[in-house]
Amino acid sequence: SAAVAKAHAFFPKWRDEDPRTRAAVLTRAANIMRSRRDELSGIIIRENGKTWKEADADVCEAIDFCEYYARLAVPLFERKRLGRFIGELDELWYQPRGVAAIISPWNFPLAICTGMAVAALVCGNTVVVKPAEQTPAIAKIMVEILHEAGAPRDALHFLPAPGETTGAALVRDPRVALIAFTGSKAVGLDIIKAAGVTPEEQPFVKRVVCEMGGKNALIIDASADLDEAVVGVRQSAFGFNGQKCSACSRAIVLDAHYDTFVERIVEATKALRIGDPLDPATDIGPVIDEESARKIRSYIERGKKDLRCVLEMKAPEGLEAKVGKPYVGPTIFADVPPDHALAREEIFGPVLAIIRAKHYDEALRIANDSQYKLTGGVYSRKPTNLERARKEFRVGNLYLNRGITGALVGRQPFGGFGMSGVGSKAGGPEYLYQFVEPRSCTENTMRRGFAPEL
Ligand code: NAD
């Protein structure tokens, strides 16, 4: 495509730009976003149905990514001396990789798109942004803001297009050196496979940074403070309708609290207000689109056949028509066997499976028994159980005695392993290393006389 050609041609120029100049673009972009914070939230609400609180968090995270990566990038590009050997100067430094394709999801349409794009850009790669089909408007504004902040037009390109065709072609383009993807497992695995194919004319192996899905669990231990656990599970499961990769879709509850927990989470969830996301009092807005609504409803139907449905909330009459997007209300199933599809597959909607565990060992076993390794959490007042979770509950982001969503840049570097992704954590100190290549140089500094005639 023309965007890749331009990005490819401009790469040497952007690669050799002063790293401080590139970092300053991000800092200015953060300032612009900060000054347009509510407007950007409004666009996100319109485009993907987030509530005000969730949309604002999306904008704030985008600002944090800009500030954080700007600060990391400057020292990253300073040459580092290794050792202090006499007669030898050993140095290590980094260089950008080339053209980066950014392929982002709709669920954090500003934060994730910004995070991946500015990380690539600040490291001196030229960037082609291919946003999710559902949320091109906010991505376009992000690109405009970065241009306004000083990113050269040839260094940053906007390519709104369908994933299956243009996205697929973009990742296969032999001029693309790096792909940063966040989205579903199926697409992520396809991209990793495609990136492994290296045609004759391609002079490098592609690097893929790939963040995929989750099937995250919260364990409610026998010693848990239920007042806290109930609101933590409710927020983690139903915030933005469970459409977060970090969302809690499994609550694993120990026998001691089981019946009380089920009763209380149902009552607490009933208190959530389903409404128009533009209304600040709304807790639960619509889901992203019809295709997603159909998928979520089919899981609910399946659950109603096989399982005990303890709550199925519906949107008020007329709301769908008014908002123009489909609604699926919070739905809870109890006594879900750990091997049931509702306890294993990512639904990406407001569906919570409650699973009973006899003891803490069993709870940990069930929690770990998923190919996804993204977030997880434990509510417990027993220090030894919290310590055991640190050792044995193997997820990328573990949260103790709090909800499992809402990771903050720099404080909760975010990302999983297993089928949840490859790469080091977004918003963490190692993230930028994925966007560069290391080089080292050794000079023999022992002088053997002058060569003044030269
Ligand atoms: P998706 O995989 O359907 O789409 C993501 C992006 O990939 C979109 O831009 C899409 O156009 C593009 N795409 C689709 N097919 C493609 C192809 N064949 N080749 C190249 N690109 C293609 O995901 P989604 O529905 O937008 O987002 C939801 C998913 O994202 C969930 O699985 C969720 O768990 C995951 N997610 C993960 C994280 C994380 O940090 N781990 C964060 C947010 C979302």
Side-chain angles (χ1 to χ4, degrees):
S1 85
V4 178
K6 282 188 192 150
H8 186 250
F10 193 70
F11 172 61
K13 189 125 198 292
W14 190 238
R15 174 192 65 198
D16 296 336
E17 183 58 88
D18 184 340
R20 280 165 301 192
T21 305
R22 293 195 300 246
V25 171
L26 272 60
T27 311
R28 278 194 296 272
N31 284 337
I32 299 171
M33 287 183 191
R34 210 175 275 117
S35 69
R36 294 172 64 178
R37 182 170 160 181
D38 290 344
E39 179 206 344
L40 296 174
S41 295
I43 294 160
I44 293 173
I45 294 169
R46 282 281 190 203
E47 206 172 31
N48 87 349
K50 273 193 181 181
T51 56
W52 273 104
K53 203 174 134 211
E54 300 282 352
D56 184 56
D58 203 324
V59 177
C60 291
E61 191 178 355
I63 296 168
D64 289 349
F65 277 133
C66 290
E67 297 272 8
Y68 183 74
Y69 294 144
R71 272 176 237 172
L72 283 186
V74 175
L76 179 70
F77 284 95
E78 282 160 12
R79 286 193 217 159
K80 283 168 200 68
R81 179 162 186 194
L82 308 173
R84 290 275 156 204
F85 298 98
I86 293 169
E88 187 172 291
L89 177 61
D90 299 304
E91 288 178 314
L92 176 72
W93 68 83
Y94 295 91
Q95 68 177 14
R97 290 178 169 269
V99 178
I102 307 302
I103 303 188
S104 57
W106 51 263
N107 71 331
F108 283 85
L110 184 59
I112 291 181
C113 193
T114 302
M116 295 193 296
V118 302
L121 197 66
V122 81
C123 288
N125 305 285
T126 50
V127 173
V128 178
V129 174
K130 208 300 289 160
E133 292 90 323
Q134 297 91 339
T135 52
I138 190 71
K140 179 165 188 276
I141 290 169
M142 173 203 82
V143 169
E144 285 168 3
I145 288 174
L146 283 162
H147 285 154
E148 184 189 336
R153 274 164 204 282
D154 284 335
L156 174 65
H157 301 265
F158 182 56
L159 190 66
E164 291 99 47
T165 51
T166 310
L170 183 62
V171 301
R172 286 164 178 80
D173 191 303
R175 293 164 296 184
V176 169
L178 166 77
I179 302 150
F181 166 83
T182 304
S184 61
K185 178 183 126 189
V187 175
L189 295 180
D190 179 65
I191 289 176
I192 289 173
K193 204 160 113 193
V197 178
T198 310
E200 205 47 55
E201 72 271 24
Q202 182 183 306
F204 46 73
V205 178
K206 293 184 192 218
R207 175 68 184 250
V208 184
V209 180
C210 178
E211 303 290 343
M212 305 185 283
K215 186 71 192 175
N216 313 301
L218 258 165
I219 295 175
I220 317 302
D221 188 20
S223 65
D225 178 339
L226 275 196
D227 292 343
E228 300 257 331
V230 166
V231 283
V233 171
R234 182 181 73 168
Q235 175 57 28
S236 303
F238 302 121
F240 191 35
N241 265 319
Q243 301 175 112
K244 300 182 190 178
C245 49
S246 53
C248 169
S249 54
R250 298 183 290 155
I252 303 169
V253 187
L254 271 82
D255 258 346
H257 276 327
Y258 191 85
D259 296 325
T260 323
F261 178 83
V262 171
E263 194 187 318
R264 289 189 60 183
I265 186 75
V266 166
E267 290 308 315
T269 305
K270 278 187 195 160
L272 295 175
R273 239 179 94 162
I274 303 179
D276 182 341
L278 280 172
D279 175 355
T282 293
D283 299 306
I284 304 284
V287 295
I288 185 71
D289 56 20
E290 278 301 339
E291 189 187 331
S292 175
R294 260 198 307 278
K295 179 179 160 197
I296 302 166
R297 288 183 191 125
S298 81
Y299 274 106
I300 293 175
E301 287 319 308
R302 192 157 161 194
K304 278 160 72 177
K305 246 186 251 142
D306 306 345
L307 305 165
R308 182 157 74 98
C309 180
V310 288
L311 178 71
E312 187 184 13
M313 286 171 75
K314 300 269 187 209
E317 282 293 319
L319 188 61
E320 276 199 5
K322 180 182 166 219
V323 174
K325 283 187 189 298
Y327 276 76
V328 181
T331 304
I332 303 177
F333 293 96
D335 313 337
V336 179
D339 59 352
H340 192 276
L342 266 77
R344 305 204 70 83
E345 294 165 22
E346 187 184 51
I347 301 171
F348 223 57
V351 181
L352 176 66
I354 304 181
I355 303 169
R356 186 193 283 266
K358 279 196 223 41
H359 38 66
Y360 194 60
D361 283 302
E362 185 178 41
L364 281 173
R365 200 163 56 238
I366 296 168
N368 279 322
D369 183 20
S370 166
Q371 52 174 230
Y372 293 110
K373 307 284 174 196
L374 194 49
T375 69
V378 176
Y379 278 95
S380 174
R381 284 183 285 197
K382 210 173 150 189
T384 51
N385 281 357
L386 297 179
E387 202 43 43
R388 275 194 67 192
R390 285 186 173 90
K391 289 206 186 89
E392 295 173 40
F393 191 171
R394 296 186 184 277
V395 288
N397 286 67
L398 179 67
Y399 296 96
L400 304 177
N401 287 320
R402 52 155 281 172
I404 61 174
T405 59
L408 294 174
V409 172
R411 269 166 64 191
Q412 288 107 21
F414 187 78
F417 48 92
M419 279 301 149
S420 295
V422 284
S424 57
K425 291 164 169 296
E430 288 141 26
Y431 190 69
L432 293 186
Y433 290 110
Q434 307 174 106
F435 294 81
V436 290
E437 294 167 318
R439 292 173 62 194
S440 85
C441 174
T442 293
E443 181 189 347
N444 177 355
T445 54
M446 297 291 273
R447 295 285 181 245
R448 292 174 186 80
F450 263 140
E453 69 279 11
L454 296 178

